[in-house]
Amino acid sequence: MIRYSKSFVSATLFALVMTGCTIFPVPETPRVMDFAPAPLTLGRAGDQQPFSLRVDTPVASEPINSTRILAKPEATEFRIYGGVRWRDTAPVIMRDAMTAALRRSQGFERVITDVSPAEADLTMVTELLAFQSQPGANQSDVVIRLYSEIMENRSRRTACSQVFDIKTSAASNSLDDVIVAFDGAGQRLMSELALWASACEGLSANR
């Protein structure tokens, strides 16, 4: 049996570190995913609202408030797709998508995000309640559930509120098909959100 002294082992490990080698496997860089861009044309209900609107980043609890792409095969269990993540947390992705959609619909005079120092007449406050796939035997459903309200900043009054519940089926359980379904669900949500926001009756009554 060959025995190595402690000094020999220490010297060998030091040499490996100094030469950039490692005895551990190097993990692969995860795929980074994003929503598809919002449709170039989005409808609005009636004339443009004569207000500026700030879009706050949605409130979300863990594990939704993360960059992980989630599956929920059971009502009481979340799982994580390995080797892949969103480009940012789910709430930030949703904020960016909502802002882009509201700007393209031109339902308001100006649309900003909560990172802007500018003032606004209104704020869109949202809560992201679901943002995951639901795997089945042969395919997955993607579920996005969002509570939204538009608040007048001076009075702090809620002008209108709505729960959006979107479900889109993926072609299979594969990750690529699930991401396509996320894109489809997101675009449906953005279209409904833009129409709803521009039709907010509480705002029309105060013109």
Side-chain angles (χ1 to χ4, degrees):
M1 178 182 295
I2 300 175
R3 297 182 181 275
Y4 298 100
S5 67
K6 290 184 179 180
S7 59
F8 175 83
V9 173
S10 299
T12 302
L13 290 175
F14 178 77
L16 286 171
V17 172
M18 294 302 293
T19 56
C21 298
T22 177
I23 59 175
F24 300 106
V26 178
E28 294 183 3
T29 302
R31 297 172 64 188
V32 179
M33 313 305 290
D34 195 6
F35 262 11
L40 292 176
T41 57
L42 286 171
R44 70 169 185 250
D47 298 331
Q48 183 183 76
Q49 295 275 13
F51 306 107
S52 56
L53 174 68
R54 182 177 66 238
V55 180
D56 276 2
T57 303
V59 175
S61 59
E62 293 291 343
I64 295 173
N65 186 23
S66 72
T67 62
R68 295 168 292 190
I69 300 180
L70 302 175
K72 196 173 185 183
E74 305 290 342
T76 57
E77 179 185 13
F78 279 102
R79 295 183 183 178
I80 301 169
Y81 288 94
V84 64
R85 64 175 177 84
W86 294 116
R87 66 165 175 82
D88 210 317
T89 64
V92 170
I93 287 177
M94 288 296 297
R95 181 202 66 195
D96 294 348
M98 290 188 294
T99 302
L102 290 164
R103 286 171 176 169
R104 288 184 176 179
S105 71
Q106 298 183 341
F108 295 86
E109 285 187 350
R110 184 166 53 94
V111 179
I112 61 175
T113 69
D114 53 0
V115 298
S116 171
E119 294 184 355
D121 302 312
L122 312 167
T123 297
M124 179 175 286
V125 181
T126 55
E127 183 178 0
L128 189 57
L129 303 170
F131 195 76
Q132 70 260 350
S133 74
Q134 293 180 339
N138 300 312
Q139 67 179 38
S140 295
D141 291 329
V142 165
V143 176
I144 302 178
R145 187 173 300 114
L146 182 80
Y147 169 77
S148 180
E149 63 180 71
I150 295 178
M151 179 185 67
E152 295 179 348
N153 289 339
R154 287 188 178 180
S155 66
R156 314 303 290 178
R157 183 182 70 89
T158 296
C160 49
S161 62
Q162 179 72 26
V163 175
F164 298 91
D165 203 344
I166 306 294
K167 179 183 288 187
T168 300
S169 295
S172 72
N173 283 322
S174 74
L175 175 63
D176 288 340
D177 285 338
V178 168
I179 295 301
V180 170
F182 264 109
D183 285 340
Q187 295 208 14
R188 279 182 53 197
L189 174 58
M190 295 310 122
S191 295
E192 293 184 15
L193 182 82
L195 282 173
W196 164 78
S198 64
C200 181
E201 296 181 355
L203 299 177
S204 299
N206 291 331
R207 285 187 179 183

